[in-house]
């Protein structure tokens, strides 16, 4: 199927993070026939426990969650689309504004990148200024990739290295400028060089690390001093540490916050949530699309938020992620390997502190597959993960860390790999 896909679908998949090459080329199963809870079955009927990144972070409650699916089935039974609008859009907007009391208005799309692009358009329309200062990864759209027109490596260090801006108009060079997390001086420098032209400041409130030295507060002050709109990209960070945007826990409010991924627990939905005066600028520009009006997205999001809140999903996501991080640390120590562990517990990440990290991570994936786990250097918690899943995984990871340490000692890391080393960023596929 993977060979067939590469012949028919450029790059083989629609999402870089789902390419088998990102895990263990030639070994990662790549396709699934069924997914339920934390279990995934490949096309040959092999069952795996998913201890990797749960649909790139979309299925925060678990695969095929019964509550979400039954709400969606009811939506299907009453017609998912018509020439009239679905009231669930309004109900969801009310709920999102209730959870984020600084916001009054909402627009929808169906993916994270689209929603971010809407947010940036609204911000540019509001400030009437073109230039964007940003930190982090925000999707595949022109406004963002434009950063790599000026310097091909501007986006390196913002989650996905090597993003190629071919096809992005060269005229957009010099419209998007990156700043590093926890480096407010970068943002100040961008603003000094482009003082009257920066209208938008975009960032993920948290990713690899927490804000230090009041970084978010400083960013907000700097943005507002020049009248720019501050957008928090919560596409990945929301619904992990709390029900809603992670910024609610950090005490800094943006002008717009953007949600997707976990919001629909795997059903497509994206929401741009913002302050009324800024959001009204959406009426001064044209933002409109047929499939943004179907009913499943808002229905799934309503069911997801209500369940997330009812069961206090965040508490469990944090507990699971914390146990995984402890498990990695203990396993590494026992095996005599050095690892660095980062990110908030529900979005955990480890890397071997060794020049052959990427080979070692690929071997980790290979050996974990043999034990029935989908696993890599990243772990995203699902509400469906049971502590027994975590314990089983930690034990398996401990054994695998010992095997890797052994292979390292014997100088056999590459020899033990049964395929090529996993890719780390964007690569063209043959
Ligand atoms: C912070 C952030 N913003 C935007 C996106 C893009 O979202 P999507 O893949 O749904 O277009 C992602 C996806 O990984 C993301 O992590």
């Amino acid at each position: 199927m993977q060979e067939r896909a590469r012949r028919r679908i450029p790059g083989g998949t629609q999402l870089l993070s789902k390419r088998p090459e990102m895990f263990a080329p030639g070994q990662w199963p790549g396709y699934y026939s069924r997914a339920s809870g934390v279990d995934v079955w490949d096309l040959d009927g092999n069952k795996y426990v998913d201890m990797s990144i749960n649909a790139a972070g979309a299925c925060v409650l678990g695969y095929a969650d019964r509550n979400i699916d039954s709400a969606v089935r009811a939506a299907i039974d009453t017609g998912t689309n018509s020439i009239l609008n679905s009231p669930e859009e309004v109900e969801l907007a009310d709920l999102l504004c209730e959870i984020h009391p600084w916001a009054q208005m909402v627009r929808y799309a169906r993916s994270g990148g689209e929603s971010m692009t809407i947010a940036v358009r609204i911000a540019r329309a509001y400030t009437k200024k073109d230039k964007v200062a940003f930190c982090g990864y925000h999707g595949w759209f022109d406004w963002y990739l434009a950063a790599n027109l000026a310097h091909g490596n501007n986006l390196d260090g913002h989650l996905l290295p090597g993003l190629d801006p071919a096809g992005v108009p060269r005229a957009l060079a010099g419209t998007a400028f990156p700043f590093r997390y926890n480096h407010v001086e970068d943002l100040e420098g961008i603003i000094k060089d482009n003082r009257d032209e920066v209208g938008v400041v975009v960032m993920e409130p948290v990713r690899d690390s927490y804000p230090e030295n009041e970084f978010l507060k400083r960013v907000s002050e700097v943005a507002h001093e020049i009248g720019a709109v501050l957008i928090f990209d919560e596409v990945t960070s929301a619904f992990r540490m709390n029900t809603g945007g992670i910024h609610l826990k950090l005490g800094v409010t943006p002008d717009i916050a953007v949600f997707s991924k976990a919001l629909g627990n795997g059903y497509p939905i994206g929401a741009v949530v913002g302050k009324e005066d800024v959001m009204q600028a959406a009426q001064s520009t044209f933002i409109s699309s047929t499939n943004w009006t179907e009913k499943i997205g808002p229905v799934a999001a309503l069911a997801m938020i209500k369940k997330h809140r009812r069961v206090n999903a965040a508490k469990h996501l944090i507990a699971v992620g914390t146990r995984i991080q402890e498990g990695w640390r203990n396993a590494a120590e026992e095996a005599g390997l050095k690892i660095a562990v980062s990110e908030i517990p529900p979005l955990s990440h480890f890397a071997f502190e060794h020049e052959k990290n990427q080979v070692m991570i690929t071997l980790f994936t290979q050996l974990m597959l043999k034990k029935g786990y989908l696993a890599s250097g990243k772990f995203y918690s699902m509400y469906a993960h049971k502590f027994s899943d975590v314990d089983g995984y930690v034990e398996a990871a401990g054994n695998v860390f010992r095997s890797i340490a052994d292979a390292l000692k014997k100088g056999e890391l590459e020899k033990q790999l049964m395929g090529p080393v996993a890719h780390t960023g964007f690569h063209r596929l043959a």
Side-chain angles (χ1 to χ4, degrees):
M1 190 59 78
Q2 292 182 33
E3 275 169 28
R4 215 167 119 192
R6 267 184 229 113
R7 282 198 302 274
R8 285 288 183 206
I9 299 172
T13 70
Q14 326 313 313
L15 180 72
L16 185 64
S17 307
K18 283 196 185 179
R19 285 186 183 176
E21 290 79 5
M22 299 300 282
F23 296 92
Q27 303 189 69
W28 187 255
Y31 286 84
Y32 79 106
S33 56
R34 196 178 147 224
S36 172
V38 297
D39 298 329
V40 180
W41 287 260
D42 70 12
L43 298 188
D44 300 322
N46 300 309
K47 180 182 156 191
Y48 299 93
V49 179
D50 186 357
M51 303 301 280
S52 63
I53 56 169
N54 84 66
C59 295
V60 70
L61 297 178
Y63 298 130
D65 181 274
R66 276 169 194 237
N67 300 100
I68 315 304
D69 285 358
S70 64
V72 166
R73 277 194 197 96
I76 293 171
D77 290 343
T78 51
T80 63
N81 217 332
S82 85
I83 184 58
L84 303 185
N85 294 288
S86 90
E88 287 83 356
E89 286 184 0
V90 187
E91 206 186 314
L92 178 59
D94 284 344
L95 184 55
L96 286 167
C97 292
E98 179 209 310
I99 293 173
H100 306 95
W102 54 268
Q104 294 81 37
M105 300 193 93
V106 182
R107 283 290 307 253
Y108 299 110
R110 288 296 177 276
S111 76
E114 265 182 326
S115 307
M116 283 304 300
T117 302
I118 293 173
V120 169
R121 170 78 75 77
I122 292 175
R124 281 174 161 162
Y126 178 76
T127 59
K128 302 193 174 52
K129 291 179 186 172
D130 287 349
K131 292 190 178 174
V132 179
F134 69 89
C135 171
Y137 172 74
H138 305 292
W140 69 276
F141 284 78
D142 285 5
W143 72 265
Y144 178 66
L145 288 187
N148 266 4
L149 290 168
H151 300 286
N153 58 359
N154 257 352
L155 295 176
D156 290 4
H158 293 265
L159 195 62
L160 285 173
L163 295 182
D164 193 334
V168 175
R170 298 226 45 100
L172 292 182
T175 56
F177 304 88
F179 60 96
R180 289 166 300 162
Y181 197 82
N182 276 336
H183 287 268
V184 77
E185 70 280 6
D186 285 10
L187 177 61
E188 286 165 343
I190 294 167
I191 284 167
K192 195 163 154 251
D193 295 343
N194 303 273
R195 177 129 200 123
D196 297 321
E197 294 166 285
V198 176
V200 197
V201 176
V202 184
M203 63 179 300
E204 287 186 271
V206 172
R207 187 74 185 214
D208 287 335
S209 38
Y210 279 104
E212 285 164 13
N213 304 323
E214 306 209 302
F215 175 59
L216 294 185
K217 190 164 161 267
R218 281 296 300 134
V219 168
S220 166
E221 284 165 3
V222 169
H224 292 137
E225 269 163 29
I226 57 158
V229 168
L230 177 62
I231 301 173
F232 278 170
D233 179 343
E234 293 260 17
V235 168
T236 290
S237 53
F239 300 104
R240 312 287 168 189
M241 301 291 288
N242 54 318
T243 299
I246 197 168
H247 67 268
L248 294 171
K249 291 179 76 80
L250 302 171
V252 178
T253 51
D255 302 301
I256 292 178
V258 177
F259 303 88
S260 189
K261 295 218 184 196
L263 181 59
N265 202 55
Y267 290 101
I269 182 73
V272 180
V273 177
K275 294 182 179 162
E276 183 173 358
D277 57 337
V278 177
M279 291 298 287
Q280 286 289 11
Q283 303 215 55
S284 67
T285 175
F286 187 62
I287 302 172
S288 168
S289 178
T290 305
N291 278 337
W292 290 346
T293 64
E294 63 77 40
K295 188 161 76 174
I296 286 177
V299 163
L302 278 168
M304 197 298 289
I305 295 175
K306 286 176 185 168
K307 176 163 182 183
H308 198 283
R309 197 150 69 168
R310 188 177 72 246
V311 300
N312 195 355
K315 189 170 171 223
H316 186 68
L317 298 173
I318 295 167
V320 164
T322 305
R323 263 206 207 199
I324 293 280
Q325 292 193 353
E326 280 166 15
W328 283 340
R329 286 197 184 95
N330 293 340
E333 203 181 312
E334 272 167 36
L337 294 168
K338 280 204 161 145
I339 60 166
V341 175
S342 60
E343 305 199 17
I344 55 174
L347 303 171
S348 291
H349 175 266
F350 80 87
F352 294 102
E353 290 184 318
H354 193 280
E355 56 184 13
K356 293 199 171 163
N357 169 56
Q358 201 54 20
V359 182
M360 293 160 84
I361 291 280
T362 313
L363 189 56
F364 176 73
T365 297
Q366 172 183 309
L367 297 174
M368 290 299 282
L369 278 172
K370 291 217 177 81
K371 293 179 182 292
Y373 291 99
L374 297 173
S376 71
K378 285 183 185 167
F379 170 82
Y380 291 0
S381 308
M382 295 191 255
Y383 181 67
H385 279 126
K386 294 192 281 303
F387 289 122
S388 55
D389 296 319
V390 177
D391 293 344
Y393 164 84
V394 165
E395 195 187 326
N399 290 332
V400 166
F401 275 20
R402 279 195 288 281
S403 302
I404 293 173
D406 194 43
L408 186 65
K409 226 176 273 160
K410 292 186 186 142
E412 282 185 358
L413 278 177
E414 285 85 354
K415 200 173 136 206
Q416 290 196 15
L417 265 192
M418 291 165 68
V421 176
H423 297 185
T424 46
F426 177 74
H427 289 265
R428 234 168 252 286
L429 297 182

